Amino acid sequence: MVAVTGPATAAPQDPAAAAALAASKADALVAGRPSILHAGSNETFLRKKVIQSSGLNYVPYERTYNGLPVRGGDFVVVTDSAGRTKYTSVAQSSPIGELSTAAKVTSTAAAATAQAQLKTVDSVEGTNLVVLAEEGEQAALAWETTVNGTGAEGASRLTVAVDAATGRVLRTTEHVTEAAGTGTGWINGTVSIDTTQSGSSYLLQDPSHTTIRCQNASGNTTFSGPDNVWGNGSGTDRETGCVDAFYVAQKQYAMLSSWLGRNGQNGSGGAWPIRVGLNDQNAYYDGTQVQIGKNTAGQWIASADVVGHELGHGIDDTTPGGISRSGTQEFVADTIGAATEWFINNPNDAPDYQVGEEVNLVGSGPIRYMYNPSLAGDSNCYSSSTPGSEVHAAAGPGNHWFYLMAEGTNPTNGQPASTRCSGSGAITGLGIQNAMKIMYNAMLIKTSSSSYLKYRTWTLTAAKNLFPNGCTEFNTVKAAWDAVNVPAQSADPTCTGGGTTPPPTTTPPPPTGCSGTNATDVTIPDAGAAVNSGITISGCARAASATSTIAVNIVHTYRGDLRVDLVAPDGTVYNLKATSTSDSADNVNTTYTKNLSSETANGTWQLRVQDTYARDTGYINTWTLTV
């Protein structure tokens, strides 16, 4: 990833001219084949539609290899209104190299393998030859087939990549995602909706954006009627469910335009048909439609956060890189669902950061809690196992991060408090609109290599680009990621414009005066001299405790390189962690207990860290001393 500094300027009056300028400048950059693209002589680039948001232009590209589409070769060039490159995000981390495009396995055999991945198959959309070049993996020639039917978890629309040399399944991608007339919904109450008149009857179809419509899942027929009055308020009535869903879709369309400058859910002025009648405790988006199911009481689950979430998958699907991956797709959609609910602000479904609280899916309340995912059995904190978890459970750390970014640790607007996974210090939220703007602009930098670690870098980059005159927003995004244990990345930007770098998240000492925190980042030089981070204790007129604690959070890509010591005010050194040539894990995030009773508590204590081996880097993130 390449970041090019330069002040943002006011956007031209004509958005089309700005988009054309961005495309021209991006094309010129790409024509030079900078090393960040990892481009070979057999590769060409196809520019897609320029996406504009908040005065920035996002120019996405796809790649071909000897004329074949490359899956994983996508990238995005970000420019300001003057066409200057602000950032480049690339899915590939290494060149494709020389690759034969002659398949040894037939397309028919590959399609049969793809169909075998489902329990039942209703249709096959076709089979195409592609180059699979996922980040960190050796490129391969593959047959790509999309099949529709039923999988182990229910309805499925599955794209299967089969190695064209061996017939082995290389990758599967599931597209099915889980979770002015007047109408009366069972959730939203009596609402106003824009419908289409057709002769003497009316349709539940947006008159300006005809792909936004609500249908009966039995036959996929758009609801129609003679009087432009819809629904009866019963949650088990399909037309009533459609009133709720259609209302949410139209309101979300307005939110996307007002808050984000996006032209509809699909980015081109429309969306996908919403179909009410799925006979399952579920709702899903599959790239062609949104299906709405029912709760265990038989009521259609068309609340703002559920419908907003499913349409959010479509928004994710139609931004660069496609549906987010590596355990991030559900939290991404949850953020869009929450923003939709807050924008609508319907008193019958008051905005909050619970998911599905109105629909009561299986009779046990909300499906997820963004401020405290553990209330639904999901993890609040990121770990190395998160990307491999079930996708809804994997949403926990991302939802927690978004809540901290939007509302902070101690909101003053009636929303619940939220705790940190590590570190200390209060976080003050940016508000739902700014949080969603940062999230959406990160999605516009997204590539097919998306992950929690990439989203940390992308959201920091988005905050820096969107708010160039200060570091408040940047610092809040960073503090929220730190708080849910998503570690810093070498590609993370820094911020110096009118704020501090890194972000301060210090906490005032408690009344006893016997504890302190230093959350100012200190870079640890690779195989270099030791560095110190100090905490001054005062007002603690006694000896230090025999059970003093030192809570340490160090971000580093090979913690075995590190020696960590506590240095008392009189210079006495207490070793906390020795070096190890076999400890290859990331980061030091633990609390040490030491007998410091021979020391006077008051004075300046130092955390001393030294990197004793080459090639891995990091920094002291935060530490807390309690004596």
Side-chain angles (χ1 to χ4, degrees), residues 315-354:
I315 296 166
D316 191 20
D317 199 10
T318 52
T319 48
I323 291 280
S324 296
R325 301 174 62 190
S326 298
T328 61
Q329 59 266 50
E330 294 300 323
F331 104 74
V332 169
D334 278 348
T335 68
I336 298 171
T340 301
E341 186 174 277
W342 277 85
F343 179 85
I344 294 174
N345 196 23
N346 186 311
N348 294 304
D349 184 5
D352 53 34
Y353 292 88
Q354 299 174 355

Side-chain angles (χ1 to χ4, degrees), residues 2-8 80 84-87 464-465 493-496:
V2 176
V4 180
T5 59
D80 63 16
R84 291 184 292 244
T85 301
K86 301 287 291 180
Y87 190 77
K464 183 173 182 177
N465 287 341
T494 57
C495 185
T496 58

Side-chain angles (χ1 to χ4, degrees), residues 527-595:
V531 294
N532 294 316
S533 175
I535 291 175
T536 299
I537 302 294
S538 60
C540 189
R542 58 168 174 77
S545 169
T547 56
S548 297
T549 59
I550 309 96
V552 177
N553 186 310
I554 299 172
V555 176
H556 197 275
T557 52
Y558 194 107
R559 68 187 182 199
D561 289 3
L562 301 178
R563 175 186 170 95
V564 182
D565 296 309
L566 178 71
V567 183
D570 65 0
T572 303
V573 177
Y574 297 85
N575 181 245
L576 304 179
K577 177 191 174 301
T579 60
S580 170
T581 58
S582 60
D583 187 359
S584 61
D586 293 344
N587 309 328
V588 178
N589 188 5
T590 191
T591 298
Y592 302 96
T593 301
K594 284 290 179 181
N595 182 355

Side-chain angles (χ1 to χ4, degrees), residues 170-189:
L170 296 175
R171 184 180 77 175
T172 60
T173 304
E174 179 58 76
H175 300 282
V176 171
T177 57
E178 309 208 299
T182 59
T184 303
W186 80 276
I187 295 173
N188 292 297

Side-chain angles (χ1 to χ4, degrees), residues 14-27 46-53 55-61 75-81 83 261-263 266-268 318-320 440 444:
D14 182 4
L21 176 62
S24 174
K25 294 290 188 179
D27 282 350
L46 174 63
R47 172 169 37 85
K48 311 295 284 185
K49 180 182 177 181
V50 178
I51 305 172
Q52 296 176 301
S53 179
L56 296 169
N57 301 281
Y58 297 85
V59 191
Y61 290 82
F75 58 95
V76 182
V77 178
V78 185
T79 77
D80 63 16
S81 58
R262 182 173 175 84
N263 185 19
N266 65 7
S268 301
T318 52
T319 48
Y440 174 66
L444 299 183

